[in-house]
Amino acid sequence: MHRQRIRHPKFQERVVSAEEAAALIKDGMVVGMSGFTRAGEAKAVPMALAERAKTHPLKITLMTGASLGNDLDRTLAEAHVMTRRIPFQADPGLRKAINAGEVMFIDQHLSETVEQLRTDQIPGIDIAVVEAVAITEQGGIIPTTSVGNSASFAILAKKVIVEINLSQSETLEGLHDIYIPSRRPTRQPIPVVSPESRVGFPFIPVDPDKIAAIVVTRKLDSSSTVLPPDDDTRSIAGHLADFLKLEVKKGRLTNELQPLQAGIGTIANAVMHGFIDTPFHGLKMYSEVLQDSTFDLFDAGKLDFASGSSITLSQPRYEQVITDLARYKHQLILRPQEISNHPEVIRRLGLICINTALEFDIYGNVNSTHVGGTHMMNGIGGSGDFARNGHMSIFVTKSIAKDGKISSVVPMVSHVDHTEHDVDILITETGLADLRGLAPRERAQTIIANCVHPTYRAELTDYFNRAVARGGHTPHLIEEAFSWHNNFRLHGTMKP
Ligand code: COA
């Protein structure tokens, strides 16, 4: 069966076992692997690498698009294979190794990694390992459920290993749009002018001589771990819908809105799902990860088109979408992450960007990554690419975490990913704060009035009033600004 998928006449003889392919990876190498939010990652070669490291230790720098499925980040961390990891992860095992200082994690805007590689600002890729549906007659690589950084990794690498995954549907062929920007400073504008724009090839063009090994696999993508909507996420979705309806009423948007971007995880997925119960229609997405909610919106007739860099679905949705892919295909494009997340395109298309915060402060600074200011959760991912450049930057979160022991709205965030200058709207289940056009003192008042859980509102009001009495453009009690985090560290609750 794999012979139909390896169409280049010379490539049949390059088929080897995963162990043989993994043997090409040597100690000290920089390896770029496919994989983006648990979709389309190379599966057999990293497993073989982790196995080999048990008896023959080695260390590599591992770059991917984003997080890996099939517990690969955990397996590689446990095998002590990674000395450095770039640019995103979401695995509890790897998180532990990063927070213990065992793995050096470079938490990077997802649009930036290949720009830095292309200009030799970071060490170049020795070997790329890319999962594919097929290889064309000319040697072009057809990716699977994600594009991520795979195209540039393969183009820039000295050698390429291709994993042909027979469990990935051949109907994926034709879904991808591989456009690689030319070199700076003479780069031409990226010709994406709408989510539907097709501007590249349906395969990754690589020099056939660089394909050093082909491995045949059958392992499925892991399903997503998002939880279904709950009362809080339904309230957040409701506040967003009411706000957007008002924007339409004021003539600032139409019922088709503007292309939507939604972040990863349970909350963003649930908020997007909420668009089903709104008057908005003819919607389009220009996003990064396409989760279950994208297909819920297609099925509800609300969404016309979705452009992303990966498709990451729950188990039942995955089976249904893959079976019915021919039905959805004309409404979908998968692009390299530097194009899905490109500041130029995001600004041009005027995206409405919805991402999730861990915590935000009374002035609108957002922390998406660091628990307690020190411990990495997942990484900034694409949230900064979108928040800085979108038409409207919205952050959502529940007002409390860990059964109310943590307030997600704090005097001062313990780590800043998105500054007050990049944040327009904040939403929790208690309400929405529209920060546009407001000065810091005004922002604090609207955030405290609308977004704070009732059990923390009086304390936060008291903090703000005492800070204002002391003065300043952005008033703070510097000695108290992190006292809520300190309380949690010492007593297991932020409550004074
Ligand atoms: N302090 C400490 N922990 C907090 C917290 C806070 N202020 N707020 C939430 N958490 C914890 C939750 O309790 C939960 O913990 P658990 O895994 O032990 O249950 C965890 O964070 C995840 O929260 P959850 O409510 O399940 O949200 P989510 O699945 O929507 O994920 C982020 C939220 C912020 C972790 C996730 O969106 C993320 O990594 N974002 C950064 C990258 C990004 O935005 N990418 C998208 C760009 S397109």
Side-chain angles (χ1 to χ4, degrees):
M1 184 181 172
H2 71 257
R3 294 192 168 267
Q4 298 154 20
R5 301 240 193 160
I6 305 173
R7 300 179 202 142
H8 189 287
K10 285 194 194 148
F11 282 5
Q12 298 293 343
E13 65 214 37
R14 296 188 199 171
V15 175
V16 297
S17 68
E19 292 71 25
E20 286 170 289
L24 296 171
I25 299 173
K26 310 283 184 215
D27 188 43
M29 279 187 167
V30 178
V31 181
M33 290 192 191
S34 66
F36 194 101
T37 54
R38 303 162 75 81
E41 75 277 354
K43 298 172 176 73
V45 173
M47 275 295 181
L49 192 67
E51 209 43 47
R52 182 177 125 213
K54 286 182 189 164
T55 48
H56 297 84
L58 84 164
K59 295 269 185 205
I60 62 165
T61 292
L62 178 62
M63 296 189 188
T64 58
S67 53
L68 302 178
N70 281 296
D71 287 335
L72 282 170
D73 266 323
R74 179 179 59 78
T75 308
L76 290 165
E78 284 174 2
H80 305 289
V81 171
M82 292 180 281
T83 176
R84 302 174 91 72
R85 181 77 175 84
I86 306 172
F88 186 80
Q89 60 77 46
D91 177 83
L94 176 54
R95 193 178 291 153
K96 212 168 145 200
I98 289 167
N99 288 322
E102 289 161 15
V103 175
M104 296 294 111
F105 176 48
I106 293 87
D107 174 22
Q108 199 172 41
H109 295 304
L110 295 190
S111 68
E112 281 198 337
T113 311
V114 297
E115 292 276 29
Q116 292 197 339
L117 277 172
R118 197 178 283 129
T119 47
D120 296 328
Q121 295 183 74
I122 50 176
I125 305 270
D126 293 297
I127 295 197
V129 191
V130 176
E131 182 178 88
V133 171
I135 301 178
T136 67
E137 289 76 2
Q138 289 73 34
I141 299 169
I142 300 166
T144 60
T145 40
S146 69
V147 178
N149 281 326
S150 303
S152 285
F153 285 169
I155 290 165
L156 296 170
K158 292 176 194 139
K159 282 183 188 170
V160 181
I161 299 170
V162 181
E163 286 194 8
I164 297 286
N165 189 334
L166 301 181
S167 78
Q168 295 278 21
S169 167
E170 280 179 283
T171 46
L172 288 165
E173 188 168 350
L175 203 63
H176 315 93
D177 186 56
I178 310 297
Y179 177 87
I180 305 295
S182 51
R183 299 245 166 199
R184 299 181 295 198
T186 52
R187 178 176 297 170
Q188 295 299 302
I190 295 167
V192 173
V193 293
S194 74
E196 303 92 318
S197 293
R198 277 198 169 270
V199 297
F201 299 109
F203 54 81
I204 303 169
V206 280
D207 172 2
D209 290 342
K210 284 204 313 193
I211 299 196
I214 299 172
V215 176
V216 178
T217 72
R218 288 179 178 276
K219 209 163 173 46
L220 292 169
D221 280 349
S222 309
S223 43
S224 81
T225 51
V226 297
L227 301 171
D230 59 19
D231 287 347
D232 285 345
T233 54
R234 270 189 282 271
S235 295
I236 295 171
H239 296 312
L240 176 61
D242 291 345
F243 164 76
L244 291 172
K245 280 185 228 165
L246 209 57
E247 291 289 294
V248 173
K249 207 168 160 196
K250 288 177 180 164
R252 295 173 178 161
L253 291 170
T254 68
N255 269 328
E256 293 179 356
L257 302 179
Q258 282 174 202
L260 298 162
Q261 175 267 334
I264 55 158
T266 294
I267 298 177
N269 184 60
V271 169
M272 284 306 288
H273 182 89
F275 276 93
I276 289 180
D277 303 317
T278 64
F280 310 121
H281 53 76
L283 300 174
K284 292 179 182 170
M285 290 183 76
Y286 192 83
S287 200
E288 188 189 270
V289 190
L290 305 179
Q291 304 195 93
D292 283 19
S293 51
T294 299
F295 295 88
D296 299 343
L297 291 169
F298 277 142
D299 291 351
K302 290 282 178 187
L303 186 67
D304 283 0
F305 199 90
S307 164
S309 195
S310 76
I311 300 176
T312 305
L313 302 171
S314 64
Q315 185 62 31
R317 252 308 185 194
Y318 180 83
E319 280 163 21
Q320 181 264 320
V321 167
I322 291 298
T323 313
D324 288 348
L325 196 60
R327 175 156 77 85
Y328 296 110
K329 210 165 156 183
H330 67 286
Q331 295 173 288
L332 285 172
I333 287 183
L334 293 184
R335 307 179 189 276
Q337 69 196 64
E338 72 169 321
I339 304 299
S340 64
N341 291 31
H342 203 289
E344 173 194 334
V345 180
I346 293 168
R347 185 63 68 96
R348 179 187 303 136
L349 299 188
L351 303 193
I352 296 174
C353 304
I354 307 160
N355 290 289
T356 310
L358 278 179
E359 63 177 8
F360 55 82
D361 67 26
I362 54 173
Y363 297 113
N365 299 289
V366 169
N367 172 11
S368 299
T369 56
H370 282 69
V371 173
T374 52
H375 280 57
M376 175 54 66
M377 175 65 91
N378 299 327
I380 192 167
S383 55
D385 294 322
F386 290 101
R388 168 65 56 92
N389 300 296
H391 165 81
M392 192 185 279
S393 175
I394 301 168
F395 279 89
V396 294
T397 186
K398 295 184 182 184
S399 68
I400 48 173
K402 306 293 174 211
D403 300 324
K405 295 190 187 77
I406 291 176
S407 170
S408 305
V409 193
V410 289
M412 185 184 266
V413 282
S414 54
H415 173 93
V416 194
D417 292 294
H418 311 289
T419 74
E420 53 172 322
H421 311 287
D422 294 337
V423 179
D424 297 316
I425 312 287
L426 290 167
I427 316 178
T428 67
E429 78 287 356
T430 65
L432 178 146
D434 181 353
L435 309 180
R436 294 172 300 172
L438 301 187
R441 289 173 185 229
E442 298 168 312
R443 286 203 293 266
Q445 280 165 339
T446 181
I447 289 171
I448 293 170
N450 293 294
C451 299
V452 181
H453 194 272
T455 57
Y456 285 95
R457 196 170 290 144
E459 276 101 349
L460 211 46
T461 306
D462 175 58
Y463 174 89
F464 176 63
N465 288 339
R466 286 186 293 119
V468 167
R470 202 182 275 184
H473 174 64
T474 306
H476 266 301
L477 305 171
I478 289 300
E479 71 284 5
E480 263 185 54
F482 295 130
S483 60
W484 292 31
H485 299 91
N486 204 33
N487 278 342
F488 183 75
R489 189 179 66 85
L490 295 175
H491 311 297
T493 174
M494 281 190 172
K495 279 266 174 201

